[in-house]
Amino acid sequence: MLFRSRERAEAINRQVVRFARERNWPQEVAAARVQLALLALANGEVRRVREEVEAAEGELGSAPRHALWLHVGMLRAVLGAEAGDERGCRAWWAVARERGIEERHVPDLWLPLERLGMAARRNGWEDIAKRALRRLQTDTSAEAVVVEDDG
């Protein structure tokens, strides 16, 4: 069921990209691209994560204060950490922190927080690991709502 849900979510977001692009709605294109990047991350498709995040960044270029920079920052920090790029990871983690990752409740960033924390720990960047994993623990300690796919 989950696999089919991911496929469905990907198809819907690709439709949103086309629809929004036809109407010249760059921020909506960026939102769908971020969702595609999150799905790719869940599927372990690092190359696609990078492609989707780069596409989202391009769409957000005219909106430097847009809330989606939180997601872009988190995804870029994960990519940097998993590639062993400390400088890049720290720069994008700073963007995510500036955009409120440590204060906001953002369930769709739980996987990136976990991946960032684990990769930072493997790389010996304990300050990032502690903050990311602490935020994840704080955010997930509230009871999560599970939505089942009815097929």
Side-chain angles (χ1 to χ4, degrees), residues 56-78:
E57 281 181 70
E59 299 293 341
L60 289 173
S62 62
R65 301 299 304 163
H66 197 282
L68 280 174
W69 284 106
L70 167 60
H71 291 70
V72 169
M74 276 301 306
L75 289 161
R76 284 288 199 179
V78 170

Side-chain angles (χ1 to χ4, degrees), residues 14 18 20 53 76 130 143:
R14 293 214 179 280
R18 283 190 295 276
V53 169
R76 284 288 199 179
K130 283 181 182 177
E143 191 169 329

Side-chain angles (χ1 to χ4, degrees), residues 22-97:
E22 289 169 1
R23 284 152 185 80
N24 195 29
W25 296 345
Q27 294 172 9
E28 287 75 10
V29 173
R33 292 290 193 180
V34 163
Q35 291 305 311
L36 288 166
L38 290 166
L39 288 165
L41 186 67
N43 289 330
E45 300 173 56
V46 176
R47 183 183 56 77
R48 273 198 43 231
V49 173
R50 187 175 314 285
E51 290 169 0
E52 297 297 350
V53 169
E54 286 174 0
E57 281 181 70
E59 299 293 341
L60 289 173
S62 62
R65 301 299 304 163
H66 197 282
L68 280 174
W69 284 106
L70 167 60
H71 291 70
V72 169
M74 276 301 306
L75 289 161
R76 284 288 199 179
V78 170
L79 291 170
E82 291 185 348
D85 175 10
E86 183 174 8
R87 185 170 172 223
C89 175
R90 286 187 183 281
W92 285 106
W93 173 238
V95 169
R97 290 180 58 216

Side-chain angles (χ1 to χ4, degrees), residues 113-129:
L113 278 166
E114 179 181 31
R115 296 273 296 260
L116 175 61
M118 300 310 288
R121 182 157 285 152
R122 278 193 309 275
N123 289 321
W125 310 332
E126 202 56 36
D127 58 318
I128 295 174

